[in-house]
Amino acid sequence: MNPHQAKVSVVVIGYDDAAHVADAVRSALAQGPAVREVVAVDDCSTDGSGALLDALAEGEPRLKVIHRTVNSGGCGSPRNDGIDAASAPYLMFLDSDDVLPPGAVDALLRSAEEHDVQVAAGLCVRRELPSGREVPWERALYTRPTLISRPSRRPRLTHDTLCVNKLYRTDFLREHGIRFPEGRYPYEDFVFTARMLAASPRIVLIPETVYIWHVRRSADRLSISLDRADVGNWRARTEANQAAYEILLNAGEKQLARAVHAKFLDHELRMYTRELELRTPEYRSAWWDLTRAYLSTFDAADFTVNPAAPGRLVARVILACPTPTDLPRLKELAARPARLLPPYTRDGEGTPVWSAELPQVTLEHFLGRAAHLLPAAVDAELRPRARGTRLRLRLHELYGRMAEAGPTSLDVEFVHREEGRVGLSRTAALVADRYGDSWSAQTPVDLSALGAGVWDLRLTLRFRDGTSREVSAHALGGPGLLRRSAIPDLRHGVLLVQPYRTHAGALGLRTASGWRGMTEVVSRRLRRLLH
């Protein structure tokens, strides 16, 4: 590629985002001479975003500003405006609160031209702000350069519903009428991506990071994907999934359509199920009804292929019961990694079932599945003590499969949530309990060495045949088990320690070191109470 040939239009959309839109535009312009133009579409902002863009355009001839006269209520219409206005052979999309990392456009354009494809896609990372912690999006797709002659050869593509980490040939989008839904249409990416895949383009995947998705959970106005407190968000998500399914099915791409359903069961259904206990009874009832109605449109094969998958089991329980049921167990099953908590019930013929109340939800597929693939359940208890803190763990039997596999030990790690570093690493031997229905392990936890932060507990269960499984730990509750403690410490003077239960029911740990750290924790708590 000649670096001096300007071949890419970057479409930036924004509404009332004066605080961030300039950074987004500058990150696009900074991509260099490959960018012919940045098309900034202001969706009738009221906070001065339009004037800010106009001021930037006065000193930058590559910046073209489009002012919508009526707010669209969504992201689709302004992006469609950008498609119409783009003059370069290729285009890509950028949201006003995100940025393109250096070299993103060059990497995508180089691969698109080298392989003569209609779509080039790269890795997107979710950057949590203000911590800066980065989490790759659909990392499995972007481990190495890959040329895909048609999307049906890689059904996993349906899992990457983002439109922003991709470079498209402009004439390909226009020729096939690939556009976003107009107006307010949450999850418009789902529909656009389905239309793109239905057109059967050649696609190249590259491992380079090409998009930084900023996640601001404390923002006054949450993004659509984070604002899940209203059941309307779930309704919109199911409708967008259904639209994507129908687009692919009508295009003759049945395998991709079924992959949309598989993605829904493994991703969306599990994510929202983990949060159900946080919602009001009215929300839970409405969510349950919507979910049952949507799942009833699925084919039987959507549940029978890999029936041991956690999302499929969650779906079968929901379909079997007309009202919300067993939410604590469903939440744990929907966790990552999944945990199936006791009781482990059998019907009158000895077949494993979900519960005595739902014997029609059978679990016989567990009996033929390798133990290291099963949703093993581990309980965890951490009691901070001045004279030594110990982590106690208990692995439950699962229809005889754990004993058959012979669990030997648990690798224990406390991982800093924001920094991703391992603060403590141990291996704890598992010892069978008297009655043979569980195994126990314990290990010391050096709280002083951990220091301040929020820590996730990660476990690896090892079996005697050398196989292993990553497991997460169910946080035991009850009086005194999940409370804040001040522990004297020679290194820090004092440590403020609190084991806690995450939204998915797992054990986590918060620590603050020194008197200053304690003061900050108390101040944050007071601010939350006052607000």
Side-chain angles (χ1 to χ4, degrees):
M1 180 194 74
N2 184 340
H4 300 292
Q5 289 182 309
K7 295 186 175 182
V8 178
S9 297
V10 181
V11 176
V12 182
I13 66 164
Y15 168 68
D16 279 0
D17 198 14
H20 307 116
V21 67
D23 290 337
V25 168
R26 291 189 182 106
S27 77
L29 293 169
Q31 296 297 309
V35 174
R36 176 181 299 181
E37 62 186 0
V38 175
V39 181
V41 184
D42 177 55
D43 200 5
C44 198
S45 296
T46 61
D47 69 342
S49 294
L52 175 60
L53 289 170
D54 287 338
L56 288 173
E58 289 179 2
E60 176 51 71
R62 290 185 298 162
L63 176 57
K64 179 193 300 183
V65 182
I66 297 175
H67 297 279
R68 290 182 57 86
T69 57
V70 177
N71 177 255
S72 69
C75 298
S77 296
R79 289 203 187 113
N80 288 338
D81 292 343
I83 294 174
D84 293 338
S87 65
Y90 296 89
L91 68 82
M92 63 185 302
F93 301 104
L94 172 61
D95 290 346
S96 62
D97 52 351
D98 300 330
V99 294
L100 299 179
V105 168
D106 279 346
L108 288 168
L109 182 58
R110 185 183 309 113
S111 294
E113 293 196 320
E114 178 182 347
H115 297 285
D116 188 25
V117 297
Q118 290 81 36
V119 180
L123 182 67
C124 167
V125 296
R126 290 165 53 100
R127 179 180 290 167
E128 299 273 350
L129 296 176
S131 71
R133 175 176 178 249
E134 293 188 349
V135 179
W137 172 264
E138 288 297 323
R139 163 64 83 181
L141 281 171
Y142 300 103
T143 57
R144 62 183 183 276
T146 306
L147 178 63
I148 301 170
S149 59
R150 57 178 299 133
S152 59
R153 296 182 181 274
R154 187 63 66 89
R156 183 77 188 187
L157 289 169
T158 59
H159 287 236
D160 184 8
T161 53
L162 301 181
C163 72
V164 290
N165 60 329
K166 301 173 180 70
L167 181 78
Y168 310 88
R169 280 205 63 92
T170 308
D171 58 3
F172 164 72
L173 296 182
R174 291 172 177 167
E175 177 185 349
H176 293 277
I178 301 171
R179 299 173 68 82
F180 295 87
E182 291 284 346
R184 176 163 180 77
Y185 193 106
Y187 304 106
E188 75 291 334
D189 281 20
F190 292 17
V191 174
F192 180 86
T193 300
R195 289 171 175 166
M196 179 268 288
L197 296 175
S200 196
R202 282 165 50 86
I203 301 174
V204 64
L205 310 179
I206 63 173
E208 288 86 354
T209 299
V210 300
Y211 196 87
I212 306 296
W213 175 0
H214 286 152
V215 180
R216 298 178 172 88
R217 299 183 188 276
S218 60
D220 292 336
R221 189 179 75 237
L222 290 174
S223 67
I224 290 172
S225 60
L226 296 179
D227 190 9
R228 299 193 291 268
D230 186 273
V231 75
N233 179 279
W234 180 240
R235 180 184 294 106
R237 194 141 192 167
T238 59
E239 290 174 350
N241 269 284
Q242 181 63 20
Y245 174 85
E246 292 176 354
I247 288 167
L248 291 165
L249 192 64
N250 293 336
E253 297 287 359
K254 187 172 184 178
Q255 188 177 12
L256 291 175
R258 289 185 61 182
V260 169
H261 277 174
K263 186 264 298 185
F264 175 83
L265 295 172
D266 183 60
H267 178 60
E268 280 99 345
L269 184 62
R270 292 176 72 176
M271 176 169 59
Y272 283 72
T273 297
R274 290 194 296 268
E275 300 172 349
L276 269 183
E277 285 193 305
L278 305 175
R279 308 305 184 198
T280 65
E282 293 77 15
Y283 175 100
R284 291 197 291 265
S285 180
W287 184 93
W288 199 269
D289 289 343
L290 281 168
T291 306
R292 280 170 52 83
Y294 181 46
L295 292 175
S296 68
T297 68
F298 284 32
D299 294 334
D302 292 323
F303 305 109
T304 56
V305 175
N306 191 13
R312 288 170 170 82
L313 182 51
V314 170
R316 290 168 58 207
V317 172
I318 292 173
L319 282 170
C321 194
T323 57
T325 188
D326 257 350
L327 296 187
R329 287 185 82 204
L330 287 176
K331 173 186 68 177
E332 303 272 348
L333 182 62
R336 294 187 183 277
R339 303 181 292 270
L340 181 62
L341 297 187
Y344 303 124
T345 308
R346 294 178 185 264
D347 65 12
E349 298 179 356
T351 301
V353 296
W354 174 261
S355 67
E357 293 74 25
L358 295 176
Q360 66 271 42
V361 182
T362 60
L363 308 179
E364 72 275 10
H365 44 270
F366 285 170
L367 300 179
R369 194 168 175 82
H372 70 274
L373 300 176
L374 295 175
V378 176
D379 294 335
E381 174 187 329
L382 183 72
R383 295 195 182 192
R385 293 287 187 269
R387 295 185 177 181
T389 298
R390 300 191 74 80
L391 174 68
R392 292 179 171 84
L393 302 165
R394 181 189 180 198
L395 168 67
H396 292 278
E397 180 56 277
L398 186 63
Y399 297 113
R401 301 308 316 287
M402 293 296 108
E404 182 182 334
T408 60
S409 62
L410 282 166
D411 295 342
V412 178
E413 291 183 336
F414 279 92
V415 180
H416 197 283
R417 177 166 296 178
E418 295 182 355
E419 301 172 6
R421 61 182 173 86
V422 177
L424 179 148
S425 180
R426 298 279 189 275
T427 296
L430 284 165
V431 179
D433 293 345
R434 170 185 284 183
Y435 300 105
D437 61 351
S438 63
W439 293 258
S440 297
Q442 58 178 310
T443 185
V445 177
D446 187 350
L447 296 174
S448 180
L450 278 182
V454 180
W455 303 89
D456 292 322
L457 174 61
R458 296 182 185 173
L459 305 172
T460 301
L461 172 61
R462 300 196 177 277
F463 299 99
R464 62 170 170 246
D465 66 355
T467 59
S468 64
R469 174 180 174 82
E470 290 186 5
V471 294
S472 53
H474 165 71
L476 289 178
L481 290 184
L482 298 174
R483 63 182 178 86
R484 187 178 290 111
S485 304
I487 306 297
D489 180 75
L490 292 177
R491 182 182 303 181
H492 304 288
V494 66
L495 277 172
L496 191 63
V497 182
Q498 183 183 19
Y500 73 99
R501 184 182 292 113
T502 69
H503 289 169
L507 178 67
L509 181 66
R510 297 186 184 97
T511 56
S513 57
W515 295 108
R516 181 176 179 180
M518 289 184 62
T519 302
E520 291 176 354
V521 170
V522 173
S523 297
R524 286 197 299 269
R525 184 171 179 82
L526 286 174
R527 285 196 296 270
R528 286 198 298 268
L529 291 173
L530 291 174
H531 288 294

